[in-house]
Structures are given as structure tokens and as C-alpha cells.
Amino acid sequence: MKSGFVNIFGKPNAGKSTLLNALVGEKLAIVSHKVQTTRHRIKAIVTEEGYQIIFSDTPGIIEPRYKLHEKMMQAVKSSLEDADVALLMVDAREEPEESAAIFASLKLKVPALIVLNKADVVIDADLKKLEEFFKQQPYCKEVITISALKKKGVDTLLQTILGYLPEGAPFYEGDNLSDLPTKFFVSELIREKIFHLYGDEIPYHATVLVQEFTEKTTLIKIAAEIIVQRDTQKGIILGEGGSMIKKLGTESRKEIEAFLGSKVFLDLFVKIRPKWRDNEMQLKEYGY
């Protein structure tokens, strides 16, 4: 039996969350084209005959500007400490030097696989150059090219991971896909819709807190607060005549129903909490 922690690192928007979902075969991590979508470390448990892998999606590595960013980088640090194998993700369309410098700064003590993502949109000659570049880096064990979005190369990546995974008993019993509570994933699905529906500013100033999660006979009743920093942001979330929050509620409910496999009644409220991203107590309340 092989068992261990395989943690995914990289710059924002390298495709870490898309890869996690592809490896697990379920949507556990929210995805958007905007940077810094992932704020938490999200563990996903894959148990098959002969192995158990606990994958971790981590926030994109950035220079912290707020306490929220510091919390995000602490999630990266904790993932460095318990990793058995590190997946270092690179957007194959970008110049490699910045990613290479970040990976070197991690000072990894475990086998590291370079994962060149979005390989389907890069010509073979450029991919070859990238492979040669990363093979020369002292932390790199192997280079694997994939398209996480199209699930190309993911099986090869999985087989390569198994070659580096230590032997040992499973860490988790049962068939749970994650060690995080259902409420967490519900709040993340709402936050994902905020990233999709609103402009550049709003998603970074907003978070979501599920206040009620009640399972009734025919449906699940959920009440969630959308936290923003200013009154103007509340107005944008609501939209003219409440049009935008209605759209947000409808789209979020559909995603949550698909995730839970149950009918959902969803109530959304907007609360203003000035400078919550720099408030230690509020960050703890919101799960950071």
C-alpha cells in the first residue's frame, strides 16, 4: 500500500485548482480566470486499491499585501511541511524564469515534479525548450506536460506520482473526498459565482460565510452572508433593483444542488465589514 501527501504549488492562474479537480474526478476546488481565486488549502482524498493520495491545492504564491494574503501564504507553508511529493505547476505559455525562482525559494526536501500545464496551446518546439530548462533545475526530478482542462496527460502524471509515493497505511478511512466540511464547499461555490459575475474589484474584496445549513425532508435550507468592505460594493453586489444578487443566487443554487445532489433553498445577504481583509478576528470568523 502506498500513501502520502501530494501538494500542488505555483504562481496564480497556473491551473492548480483545475488539476486538482481532474485528479480527483470531482469539482472540489473553485476555478476562474482571475488570479488569487484559491484562498485556502483544499485537501482531496483519492483512495484506490493499492494507494491513497491526499492531494492539496494551495493558493498561488504571491507577496502578501494584507493579512488575508498572509493567511494564504501560511496555507502554502503548511503544505510545504507535510508534502511527500511536490507538483510544481507552470503555465507553459509563460516565461519560466519567475516560476523557477519561486520553486527554488521553496527549498523543497521532497521529490518535485514539474508539471507544464496548458501544453495543448503551445507549439512542440517551445515545450521542448521549457522541458530542457526545467530538467536543469536542481529541484526537478521529472517534467510532465499536461492539459488539466482537457485532462490530457493526467493519467501519466498520476502514474509518475505513484512511483515517488512512500509505502504506508492510509491516513483516512471511508470514502470521504475531503477533510473539509460541506459548508466550506457551499461558501466556495457562491464565491466562485462572484468571481464569474462581477468585475475585477469585487471578488477580491468579498468573502462568503454560510450561517445556516439545515437539512429538511425535501430540501436543504442554506443562508449565507456575502461580506464586502464598502457600501458601494454592496450596491454592486445587489445590482439595480436586486437584479444581480438574484442572478448570483440562481446560479449559485444550481451549482450547489449539483454538488449536494439535493434541492436547495438559498438565501443570500450582503454585510459590510470595513477592512475585513486586515482584521485578525474577522478573518478567523470567515475561516481563514
Side-chain angles (χ1 to χ4, degrees), residues 114 116 127-145:
I114 296 289
L116 298 179
L127 267 182
K128 208 78 183 149
K129 284 180 195 169
L130 278 177
E131 285 179 33
E132 292 306 315
F133 174 86
F134 279 109
K135 279 176 182 174
Q136 292 169 22
Q137 306 307 315
Y139 47 77
C140 172
K141 287 287 185 188
E142 293 190 45
V143 180
I144 293 101
T145 60

Side-chain angles (χ1 to χ4, degrees), residues 7-27:
N7 302 340
I8 311 168
F9 304 97
K11 285 169 58 183
N13 256 17
K16 298 181 295 297
S17 299
T18 306
L19 175 60
L20 181 86
N21 293 339
L23 285 163
V24 179
E26 295 278 350
K27 181 179 174 179

Side-chain angles (χ1 to χ4, degrees), residues 39-59:
R39 290 178 180 166
H40 302 264
R41 176 183 181 177
I42 298 170
K43 289 184 197 167
I45 306 157
V46 176
T47 307
E48 298 289 349
E49 192 174 336
Y51 68 86
Q52 183 181 82
I53 305 175
I54 302 96
F55 290 104
S56 283
D57 181 20
T58 63

Side-chain angles (χ1 to χ4, degrees), residues 13-15 89-96 99 114-123 126-131 134 144-147:
N13 256 17
M89 279 202 83
V90 180
D91 183 334
R93 300 170 303 178
E94 294 185 358
E95 293 299 320
S99 287
I114 296 289
V115 182
L116 298 179
N117 190 28
K118 308 178 188 180
D120 53 315
V121 292
V122 177
I123 61 170
D126 288 345
L127 267 182
K128 208 78 183 149
K129 284 180 195 169
L130 278 177
E131 285 179 33
F134 279 109
I144 293 101
T145 60
I146 68 162
S147 167

Side-chain angles (χ1 to χ4, degrees), residues 25-41:
E26 295 278 350
K27 181 179 174 179
L28 288 184
I30 65 172
V31 176
S32 91
H33 66 278
K34 297 184 172 109
V35 298
Q36 295 174 38
T37 305
T38 301
R39 290 178 180 166
H40 302 264
R41 176 183 181 177

Side-chain angles (χ1 to χ4, degrees), residues 185-240:
F185 292 105
V186 168
S187 68
E188 285 287 273
L189 288 170
I190 298 167
R191 198 165 66 80
E192 180 182 51
K193 290 303 171 194
I194 292 171
F195 266 83
H196 287 177
L197 290 175
Y198 295 91
D200 288 340
E201 176 195 344
I202 294 297
Y204 301 108
H205 291 257
T207 195
V208 177
L209 183 65
V210 173
Q211 294 285 26
E212 182 187 352
F213 187 96
T214 310
E215 297 190 46
K216 297 186 177 287
T217 317
T218 55
L219 53 70
I220 298 170
K221 186 168 186 279
I222 299 169
E225 290 179 358
I226 299 161
I227 313 296
V228 292
Q229 298 200 115
R230 294 192 291 274
D231 196 49
T232 51
Q233 293 166 350
K234 179 177 179 177
I236 294 167
I237 292 280
L238 292 172
E240 194 174 341

